[in-house]
Amino acid sequence: MKQIEHSSLSKPIYNSLKTMILEKELKPGEKLVQEKLAAQLGVSRTPLMQALQMLENELLVESVPRRGMFVRNFSVDEMIDIYYCRESIECMAVRLVTLRADQKDIKALHQLFQPFLDIEGAIDAEKYQKVDEKFHNMLVKLSQNPVLKKMSKMSQILTLVHSLGLLRPPEETLMEHLQIIEAMENGNFQQAELRMKNHIKLSMELLQKIRKEKTK
Amino acid sequence: MKQIEHSSLSKPIYNSLKTMILEKELKPGEKLVQEKLAAQLGVSRTPLMQALQMLENELLVESVPRRGMFVRNFSVDEMIDIYYCRESIECMAVRLVTLRADQKDIKALHQLFQPFLDIEGAIDAEKYQKVDEKFHNMLVKLSQNPVLKKMSKMSQILTLVHSLGLLRPPEETLMEHLQIIEAMENGNFQQAELRMKNHIKLSMELLQKIRKEKTK
DNA sequence: TATTTGTATATTGTATACAAAATGCAAAAG
DNA sequence: CTTTTGCATTTTGTATACAATATACAAATA
């Protein structure tokens, strides 16, 4: 018999705060005053702090001792750092999926992009971004490696990067995604890894160009 | 002027608990009763819980809602999972160090193993393990990527694996370490990555052999 | 006017109190 | 003898209280 898990308050608080941050209801750099937030959410500071600590671990929030918690504000340099991490994690994910997942699951990955295949005209960027995110999450999940999954949570901040409109045009990345999936279907994990590596590299180059422009 | 950071209690509590776990004073699977621990350490449950949450993020502790916190107990499968993660992280670290660190820092890596070079007879396994750990930590530090560093903390559990005596003989890995460093000195990051990948693969194979024996 | 000092207020960090749930165990039922 | 039920005890999860520190702002000083 499976135990029912009586979850604590911190989890829903965490979820609320997370969406508030991702949707910019809580703005980058903003100070998170505990009592204020707790009152807003109708809870006490104890579970609120737990939720904030979780967010700190995912790098969405920063704690400065005795000063408070702040919504994190990413520099281009930090975003590049995160991209390097993402590269290492997602390449490994792709490899594990190729080796461990069955064809049905890989087909499901393919299905995600189906809505964008046989259409004429431009792709709805917002819809595409959601699917892109789903793709990366599903990949990590299908790798069947819980530790890898936990690590990948840290690079969830990239959702923020993307919502800044800093991503490449869907027309460009769609094909890359499909080619990665194709290699996985063929069981060619080396090719799949290489393609993923390249896919991320191309996105990272965009950031590096931005950095160069800033230092000019 | 640099601000002095008035740190909170949770940090020293975290450190105490961590060493207690690593030194098996708190045993795998053991339940961590909050009031008991708090009394032992002379603090209240609030900062104790914060420390426990930190340890949970590093996978040293597991929380079961409404039941308590437990010292984690790793199956061989999970250890293998962690090795995969370590591979991805350390290969990236090696690459970034090669590209970013200066020769002086890479020399320092080499220096770590100096005590084991010109000696006759067997290497002191315990001393070597400490240096091995230092090597991996320094590597991550020299990568100058804070996110990568944070991620690598999750695989610190491997210290536990190692303390189980599950590591390969120093004579075998010493050469591998030196060859990785050599490639970095030459600025050949591809070779360095490959060597690191292989180095970890060989250790992982030990675990996979153990797994096979268990299922027999 | 610009800078420093002093004081009131706000906020964090820690301890404690209290309710809800889990655990252990003895008595009752099968 | 084994299983179930009920109750006392323990332990967790949350709220709150209180002390230490940080912040803001007005008055004092240069």
Side-chain angles (χ1 to χ4, degrees), chain B residues 126-208:
Chain B
E126 203 169 328
K127 264 187 200 157
Y128 185 78
Q129 197 204 309
K130 286 232 173 76
V131 169
D132 187 330
E133 215 184 308
K134 244 187 207 160
F135 171 67
H136 291 285
N137 285 334
M138 200 184 242
L139 208 59
V140 172
K141 190 178 171 187
L142 291 178
S143 75
Q144 299 171 48
N145 185 330
V147 186
L148 199 74
K149 195 178 170 193
K150 198 162 183 181
M151 283 185 178
S152 89
K153 275 217 162 180
M154 284 193 196
S155 53
Q156 290 242 349
I157 327 151
L158 289 180
T159 315
L160 279 171
V161 181
H162 291 156
S163 71
L164 289 171
L166 285 181
L167 78 180
R168 293 187 285 141
E171 284 77 8
E172 207 175 309
T173 62
L174 176 58
M175 197 46 88
E176 291 168 18
H177 283 136
L178 293 175
Q179 284 172 342
I180 293 165
I181 295 167
E182 189 206 8
M184 290 195 288
E185 279 175 333
N186 296 335
N188 191 339
F189 70 89
Q190 285 170 330
Q191 190 178 49
E193 258 186 274
L194 200 65
R195 285 177 176 176
M196 175 58 91
K197 189 173 167 179
N198 224 54
H199 169 64
I200 292 175
K201 190 183 170 192
L202 289 167
S203 295
M204 184 150 51
E205 277 167 0
L206 241 180
L207 284 175
Q208 285 166 332

Side-chain angles (χ1 to χ4, degrees), chain B residues 17 21 26-27 29-37 48-49 52 55 60-62 67-72:
Chain B
L17 292 175
I21 291 172
L26 296 171
K27 297 187 181 60
E30 184 174 341
K31 185 176 178 191
L32 302 169
V33 181
Q34 293 173 25
E35 292 226 58
K36 225 193 228 165
L37 260 184
L48 174 74
M49 278 304 292
L52 287 173
L55 290 165
L60 287 173
V61 154
E62 189 180 4
R67 291 233 150 62
M69 306 280 261
F70 302 82
V71 178
R72 276 208 65 171

